[in-house]
Amino acid sequence: MTAVMRTRLLGALLAIGMLGSVALPASAETVLNKGLGGEPQSLDPIHTTTNIEQFIIDDLYEGLTAYDGAGKVGPAVAESWTVSPDGLVYTFKLRPSAKWSNGDPVTAEDFVYSFRRNLDPKEAAEYASLSYPIKNAQAVNTGKAAIDTLGVKAIDAGTLEITLESPVPFFPELLAHQSVVPVNKANVEKYGRDFAKAGKLVSNGAYTVTEQIPGDHLTFVKNPNYWGAANVKIDRVVAYPSEDQAAIQRRFLAGELDLAYQFQADQRKFLQEKVGDEVHVSPSTSSEYYAFDTRKPPFDDVRVRRAFAMAIDRDFLANDVLNGVYQPLYSWIPEGIANYTPAKADFADTPQLDREDKAKELLKEAGYGPGGKPLKVEIRYNTNENWKKVATAIADMWKGLGAEVTMLNSDLKSHYSYLQQGNSFDITRAGWVADYADPENFLTLGVSTNKVFNYGHYNNPEFDALMAKSFTERDVPKRMQILHDAEAMLLRDASVTPLLVYNDPWLVSKKVKGWHDNLANHHGTRFLTKE
């Protein structure tokens, strides 16, 4: 054996010996980097309104029920429940292992407190009306009943009872909504409005938030006290709220992001050539639409609203502007809801050129157009390359009616905040994703008392009466016909005009496993793994 060989053997033996006395390094932390598509308005569940916030709430909190990785609703904090024969009383058994991130147990009283907080009129929760099926919920929310009359009661620490006004077959789906997850009472009382900030938030979901830098990123870390923590494989999530789709695409292609919500529709083919089936475009039960402010001229005149709605070439928007990522929509409610046939705008089957001629006639009747009053209107939209392209195309279509169209954009958070405060506008872009699979979820946006989501302030007593009637009708076919009639009325009055079925565009790295495209667009990180 040469001297060199002896030296190498001695080094190898020493290395082997050292392995016995020095600990192996810990396995590396698994981090998921994610492009969110916009800035959240809040991390307080009752003050969240967009799917951007829904993605966050899905990770931080968990309600009685929740969406699984395939977009199906099932048991969550409630491990089981029973329903009374008349369909009015739900009794939920909570998981004994359900805990808050500070280690305290999640109890039935936590849910009583959270439901009451959501419906307390002083909170002005944006989604409070979603809980109106609960006994006395509407009366409590409108200040007509004491908050302790709400039909939510703790039988004991592990048993919650909820009584409804009338049977609601989709009630378990309602309970999976972001607005009815529990919040920690002691934490809210200690910090007030600041309770949902990073470093203060006590949550009960698979993750808790440790860092939030507006305009830059949010960081979530695995919650060791989550009842299902043993099955959570991602240790840390870093979410980037940028609305710059081009920048997000570049970061995904560079491998800096594992997931990215939304991409430029006209880049679909390019992206597919680059990353193939990492490009996901999944159907959803949703509507992309424009709303008209019905409180002021020119859109206080139904003829003007109908003319503007008719003049939009939806097929051109879907196929040419958005490259087939979205589909044209002529109903307010998209296809896909069981037992329901959507109503269509009465001009849906009319050739586009004929529709444009009719639109000009309507404007002339209303006193606008050549020789009449000038039409100067503004389209508001949130900063997004796709919505910019749509607005530009529609503005050009409306110029054919003699309208002078300008455009105004703002970031997602500011855009919806402006609308939800009831501020004035001409036309605004908005989108609606079904919170549960029932036509009522879309039609409630037209109810005059819906001060948050009825952006155009549509007010038709006949429509309101139909919606009220639908709440008490227990025969399914009769109820669906009532809702169909309400949808037809909403389309006739054109306070809103549907444009497109809003598909969900995602970029999903091959490293991410457990991803399932689904209609609900729920993708909790606890169901994912990363290679």
Side-chain angles (χ1 to χ4, degrees):
M1 181 180 289
T2 67
V4 172
M5 291 174 67
R6 286 195 296 272
T7 301
R8 287 176 177 171
L9 177 61
L10 179 60
L13 291 171
L14 285 171
I16 293 169
M18 289 175 67
L19 287 175
S21 59
V22 179
L24 287 167
S27 58
E29 181 182 55
T30 303
V31 180
L32 185 79
N33 294 298
K34 179 178 182 179
L36 271 184
E39 189 81 45
Q41 294 184 62
S42 175
L43 300 188
D44 180 347
I46 68 170
H47 294 300
T48 61
T49 60
T50 68
N51 54 3
I52 302 299
E53 292 152 336
Q54 167 216 301
F55 302 146
I56 297 171
I57 300 303
D58 279 352
D59 281 350
L60 298 183
Y61 301 89
E62 188 171 84
L64 292 166
T65 64
Y67 287 89
D68 65 15
K72 303 296 183 184
V73 172
V77 174
E79 61 182 359
S80 65
W81 58 86
T82 58
V83 187
S84 63
D86 61 5
L88 294 178
V89 181
Y90 283 70
T91 304
F92 298 89
K93 289 295 182 182
L94 308 190
R95 296 181 189 274
S97 55
K99 293 182 180 180
W100 294 101
S101 55
N102 64 3
D104 292 342
V106 177
T107 68
E109 281 294 346
D110 290 322
F111 282 96
V112 173
Y113 169 76
S114 300
F115 273 100
R116 288 180 176 180
R117 179 174 179 266
N118 182 40
L119 289 158
D120 188 336
K122 291 182 291 188
E123 281 290 341
E126 288 83 350
Y127 264 114
S129 62
L130 203 68
S131 295
Y132 281 6
I134 298 173
K135 189 172 181 62
N136 290 332
Q138 185 169 6
V140 168
N141 190 233
T142 54
K144 296 175 183 176
I147 202 162
D148 59 4
T149 65
L150 182 67
V152 181
K153 181 170 64 174
I155 304 301
D156 55 46
T159 310
L160 182 74
E161 181 182 276
I162 299 181
T163 304
L164 307 184
E165 292 279 359
S166 59
V168 178
F170 50 85
F171 190 59
E173 284 190 331
L174 287 183
L175 295 176
H177 191 261
Q178 63 209 54
S179 65
V180 291
V181 297
V183 292
N184 185 283
K185 180 180 178 181
N187 192 42
V188 175
E189 291 180 342
K190 180 177 180 180
Y191 292 111
R193 294 289 180 187
D194 290 338
F195 87 93
K197 291 186 175 180
K200 296 177 180 177
L201 178 64
V202 174
S203 57
N204 76 319
Y207 295 86
T208 188
V209 61
T210 58
E211 188 177 33
Q212 181 178 11
I213 300 176
D216 192 82
H217 71 275
L218 300 90
T219 302
F220 313 139
V221 297
K222 182 177 173 179
N223 174 11
N225 290 311
Y226 175 58
W227 66 267
N231 295 318
V232 177
K233 305 304 181 186
I234 304 290
D235 300 301
R236 182 183 298 268
V237 181
V238 183
Y240 299 91
S242 173
E243 296 175 45
D244 186 340
Q245 292 176 335
I248 289 294
Q249 288 168 198
R250 287 194 298 270
R251 293 192 66 183
F252 181 84
L253 293 174
E256 297 173 14
L257 296 177
D258 306 300
L259 295 173
Y261 181 58
Q262 298 187 344
F263 54 79
Q264 292 173 284
D266 61 0
Q267 297 291 300
R268 181 184 184 181
K269 185 177 179 181
F270 165 78
L271 290 168
Q272 287 175 325
E273 289 172 352
K274 288 285 186 181
V275 293
D277 59 8
E278 292 185 349
V279 178
H280 291 241
V281 178
S282 59
S284 67
T285 311
S286 59
S287 297
E288 170 69 21
Y289 67 97
Y290 273 11
F292 303 107
D293 193 332
T294 63
R295 296 169 295 181
K296 63 172 193 172
F299 297 113
D300 58 346
D301 190 323
V302 66
R303 294 170 296 184
V304 178
R305 299 195 300 268
R306 283 178 58 79
F308 273 62
M310 285 180 180
I312 299 171
D313 186 340
R314 291 156 180 79
D315 292 281
F316 179 79
L317 294 179
N319 299 323
D320 294 86
V321 177
L322 295 176
N323 202 28
V325 174
Y326 304 91
Q327 284 77 52
L329 182 64
Y330 289 92
S331 59
W332 175 235
I333 301 166
E335 298 280 353
I337 294 178
N339 304 311
Y340 186 74
T341 302
K344 272 184 168 184
D346 55 13
F347 55 80
D349 297 322
T350 303
Q352 183 64 37
L353 291 176
D354 292 342
R355 281 163 36 191
E356 291 169 11
D357 289 340
K358 179 61 177 176
K360 291 174 183 176
E361 289 176 18
L362 286 171
L363 288 178
K364 186 176 180 180
E365 286 177 22
Y368 296 95
K373 293 176 285 187
L375 266 174
K376 294 184 178 182
V377 299
E378 179 182 75
I379 300 173
R380 300 183 68 96
Y381 67 94
N382 57 287
T383 306
N384 177 298
E385 281 302 310
N386 292 336
W387 308 146
K388 179 181 179 180
K389 291 181 175 72
V390 167
T392 302
I394 290 177
D396 190 59
M397 295 170 194
W398 285 341
K399 285 175 185 175
L401 300 178
E404 182 182 324
V405 186
T406 56
M407 298 187 296
L408 175 67
N409 70 293
S410 58
D411 64 88
L412 182 79
K413 180 178 178 180
S414 300
H415 177 73
Y416 278 111
S417 177
Y418 182 91
L419 297 177
Q420 290 163 8
Q421 290 171 18
N423 293 309
S424 176
F425 60 90
D426 291 332
I427 308 121
T428 186
R429 175 266 158 188
W432 189 258
V433 181
D435 300 303
Y436 48 94
D438 190 86
E440 185 269 339
N441 186 230
F442 286 88
L443 292 169
T444 190
L445 273 65
V447 175
S448 62
T449 54
N450 189 335
K451 304 301 183 185
V452 179
F453 299 115
N454 184 354
Y455 301 136
H457 298 266
Y458 176 60
N459 188 343
N460 184 335
E462 289 183 67
F463 178 86
D464 289 352
L466 283 172
M467 293 304 297
K469 186 178 179 182
S470 76
F471 290 128
T472 58
E473 180 55 68
R474 296 184 64 177
D475 181 87
V476 172
K478 289 181 180 178
R479 178 174 177 270
M480 291 302 180
Q481 184 59 52
I482 292 168
L483 294 171
H484 182 277
D485 294 343
E487 181 183 14
M489 187 176 294
L490 190 69
L491 292 168
R492 180 201 69 195
D493 291 346
S495 67
V496 293
T497 185
L499 303 174
L500 303 155
V501 175
Y502 182 90
N503 290 342
D504 291 313
W506 283 91
L507 298 173
V508 183
S509 169
K510 286 185 172 66
K511 295 178 182 178
V512 177
K513 305 300 180 183
W515 179 274
H516 298 278
D517 294 336
N518 62 78
L519 283 171
N521 199 24
H522 280 263
H523 306 282
T525 308
R526 65 188 179 279
F527 301 112
L528 303 177
T529 59
K530 179 184 170 184
E531 291 181 346

